[in-house]
């Protein structure tokens, strides 16, 4: 993904670890969604309860999450989301792609509203540092 799209491997791996709970979440095990990517139709997604940080507090909401046929398809879709942005903002994740290091990329993900958790950048950075994932960022 780094060679093809310019996404830091440490970020890709840390997000997969965090979003899928090391591949143990139902969303990842049953539906191959390792990045918590939301869906937009009954044909390509399933509803799950999830926690979102809204107005300074955690709330439980039902959200539609994409279903994938393989983890590779999930990884590719994650990369394409970062590269192509969303329907409403094609440049939404541009700062993630152009970040010079994993710390900037982690913060850029939060700033671009990939996740609502205010600790999201710190969680990604912690995983990257703990497991030395930045060794793959070349």
């Amino acid at each position: 993904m780094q060679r093809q799209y310019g996404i830091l491997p440490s970020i890709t791996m840390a997000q997969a670890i965090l979003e899928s709970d090391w591949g143990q979440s139902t969303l990842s095990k049953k539906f191959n969604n390792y990045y918590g990517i939301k869906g937009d139709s009954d044909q390509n997604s399933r509803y799950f309860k999830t926690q979102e940080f809204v107005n300074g507090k955690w709330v439980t909401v039902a959200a539609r999450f994409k279903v994938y046929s393989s983890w590779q398809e999930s990884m590719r879709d994650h990369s394409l989301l970062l590269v192509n942005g969303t329907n409403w903002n094609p440049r939404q994740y541009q700062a993630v792609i152009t970040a010079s290091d994993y710390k900037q990329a982690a913060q850029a993900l939060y700033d671009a509203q990939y996740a609502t958790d205010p600790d999201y950048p710190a969680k990604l950075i912690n995983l990257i540092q703990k497991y030395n994932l930045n060794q793959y960022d070349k």
Side-chain angles (χ1 to χ4, degrees):
M1 296 300 132
Q2 183 178 25
R3 275 184 256 127
Q4 191 168 2
Y5 299 111
I7 301 164
L8 294 171
S10 61
I11 288 294
T12 299
M13 289 184 281
Q15 281 194 278
I17 291 166
L18 183 61
E19 295 285 348
S20 74
D21 190 23
W22 289 93
Q24 296 306 303
S25 71
T26 300
L27 188 59
S28 62
K29 284 167 58 173
K30 194 168 181 182
F31 300 108
N32 294 303
N33 187 330
Y34 286 81
Y35 297 94
I37 295 178
K38 301 232 170 92
D40 57 9
S41 74
D42 287 337
Q43 290 75 35
N44 73 355
S45 58
R46 300 288 181 274
Y47 277 102
F48 281 86
K49 289 189 177 180
T50 186
Q51 294 286 303
E52 301 282 347
F53 195 76
V54 180
N55 297 323
K57 63 181 180 173
W58 288 102
V59 295
T60 301
V61 298
R64 207 186 292 250
F65 289 90
K66 280 191 176 182
V67 172
Y68 297 100
S69 59
S70 67
W71 66 264
Q72 294 95 332
E73 184 184 5
S74 174
M75 181 179 278
R76 184 172 189 279
D77 196 41
H78 171 258
S79 296
L80 291 175
L81 173 64
L82 297 182
V83 170
N84 297 326
T86 58
N87 292 338
W88 57 91
N89 184 358
R91 298 186 45 81
Q92 186 163 352
Y93 301 108
Q94 195 63 41
V96 178
I97 304 297
T98 60
S100 60
D101 62 38
Y102 66 89
K103 291 178 183 176
Q104 285 183 359
Q107 186 62 49
L109 282 164
Y110 178 73
D111 293 345
Q113 301 174 337
Y114 188 95
T116 61
D117 182 352
D119 295 326
Y120 195 74
K123 289 176 181 178
L124 292 177
I125 291 166
N126 181 55
L127 284 167
I128 291 166
Q129 291 175 343
K130 183 174 183 177
Y131 297 102
N132 195 26
L133 299 178
N134 60 313
Q135 69 181 306
Y136 303 107
D137 296 347
K138 298 184 178 170

